[in-house]
Amino acid sequence: MTPSTYLYGGQVHANGIRQHYLRYGGTADNRASRAAVILIPGITSPAVTWGFVAEHLGRQFDTYVLDVRGRGLSASGPGLDYGLDAQAADVTAFAQALGLERYTLVGHSMGGRIAVRAASKQPQGLASLVIVDPPVSGPGRRAYPANLAWYVDSIRQATHGMTAEDMKAFCPTWTEAQRQLRAQWLHTCHEPAIVQSFEDFGRDDIHADLPRITVPLLLMTAEKGGVVGDDDVAEWQGLAPQTQHVRVPGAGHMIPWDNEAGFYAAFGDFLGARVD
């Protein structure tokens, strides 16, 4: 049996808030030869739900998974700024607080939009960017193809208390283990934070950020789900010509849940070593 790459969970004070993270890999060889990987999950995905991905990436890379503010064990509750600029500043402050000299941001969905905004500021140490099936909505653009009620209803039920069987109503194709983990952690998603993030998908223009990104960029999209279409990819590559694009076959928006092997294969050698 392959030994686990999980090292520990930690807390750091950065950008004025407590940020919780999980660390995987981090051997001396990884730190010396390759950029660290910072995983930024989507709108209702606490860090722990991406643990299986970080476990795999940790074989090759010093890997950190963030709890975005308002989720998991990071700072939450009323009074916090849950806007995209604050979320992006969290990420770069996190990397600085941990002394990461070179790092790659891997952001899924909302996490991809956070990574784009962070990269547009050209922070020191950012080596590359992987954006996974990001909402391409924004002012004057088509809406993100999801229903806010799906998030709100599931969070409220999780806050009340729900089982893996209850979660099947929201995630019918997931395995029992995946549903169990989501049922356990979804209550940590602060509803106002989720509502603002969802509504900001239509208010924030990440396309305006793309021309300011100078690092290598991999855009990974799902074959199913309709989040990123071929026209969206063409526009993205026009704004950031360095963008490589890979579409993962047989996968919906939650790509590693639908086609985990395809998700890893889509990285190719973009990170400096193959992860499949």
Side-chain angles (χ1 to χ4, degrees):
M1 184 175 179
T2 305
S4 174
T5 64
Y6 173 72
L7 295 177
Y8 55 82
Q11 310 268 4
V12 64
H13 189 82
N15 196 34
I17 67 166
R18 182 189 71 256
Q19 296 191 45
H20 174 258
Y21 65 96
L22 303 175
R23 189 181 183 191
Y24 295 75
T27 66
D29 179 64
N30 286 349
R31 290 195 299 269
S33 62
R34 299 171 187 145
V37 170
I38 301 176
L39 280 171
I40 313 170
I43 187 167
T44 55
S45 295
V48 68
T49 63
W50 276 77
F52 71 105
V53 172
E55 182 78 57
H56 191 96
L57 293 178
R59 299 175 192 172
Q60 301 285 347
F61 307 97
D62 187 10
T63 303
Y64 301 79
V65 196
L66 293 184
D67 270 330
V68 177
R69 59 169 63 199
R71 288 89 173 162
L73 300 181
S74 286
S76 187
L80 277 186
D81 179 358
Y82 294 108
L84 183 60
D85 286 333
Q87 293 170 332
D90 285 348
V91 174
T92 51
F94 172 83
Q96 184 176 24
L98 267 63
L100 301 180
E101 296 180 358
R102 293 179 64 247
Y103 60 92
T104 293
L105 297 179
V106 178
H108 172 250
S109 192
M110 179 195 73
R113 291 171 66 92
I114 294 171
V116 165
R117 180 59 53 87
S120 74
K121 310 298 183 183
Q122 301 180 9
Q124 183 175 358
L126 180 63
S128 60
L129 203 59
V130 180
I131 309 299
V132 183
D133 220 44
V136 291
S137 47
R141 296 176 176 274
R142 75 176 191 276
Y144 176 53
N147 188 332
L148 178 59
W150 184 90
Y151 299 101
V152 172
D153 291 349
S154 59
I155 290 169
R156 289 179 180 177
Q157 189 168 344
T159 301
H160 178 76
M162 71 189 307
T163 65
E165 187 64 24
D166 296 331
M167 186 59 73
K168 191 179 289 186
F170 298 94
C171 306
T173 65
W174 288 23
T175 67
E176 183 176 6
Q178 291 166 347
R179 288 184 280 108
Q180 182 65 55
L181 192 62
R182 186 168 176 82
Q184 179 186 359
W185 281 91
L186 187 59
H187 76 93
T188 68
C189 293
H190 183 51
E191 183 180 322
I194 275 60
V195 171
Q196 179 172 345
S197 291
F198 186 91
E199 293 179 345
D200 282 350
F201 289 166
R203 293 189 290 235
D204 289 311
D205 182 13
I206 64 166
H207 292 79
D209 296 326
L210 293 175
R212 294 194 291 270
I213 295 175
T214 59
V215 298
L217 196 161
L218 173 64
L219 176 63
M220 186 189 306
T221 62
E223 182 181 49
K224 301 184 288 186
V227 175
V228 184
D230 292 340
D231 290 347
D232 300 315
V233 173
E235 180 183 14
W236 191 292
Q237 292 178 318
L239 293 168
Q242 78 275 30
T243 301
Q244 303 175 40
H245 173 243
V246 180
R247 202 174 282 286
V248 180
H253 183 58
M254 303 298 285
I255 295 177
W257 280 258
D258 292 342
N259 183 356
E260 186 177 359
F263 174 74
Y264 300 135
F267 283 93
D269 59 1
F270 183 80
L271 298 178
R274 299 191 69 89
V275 298
D276 57 344

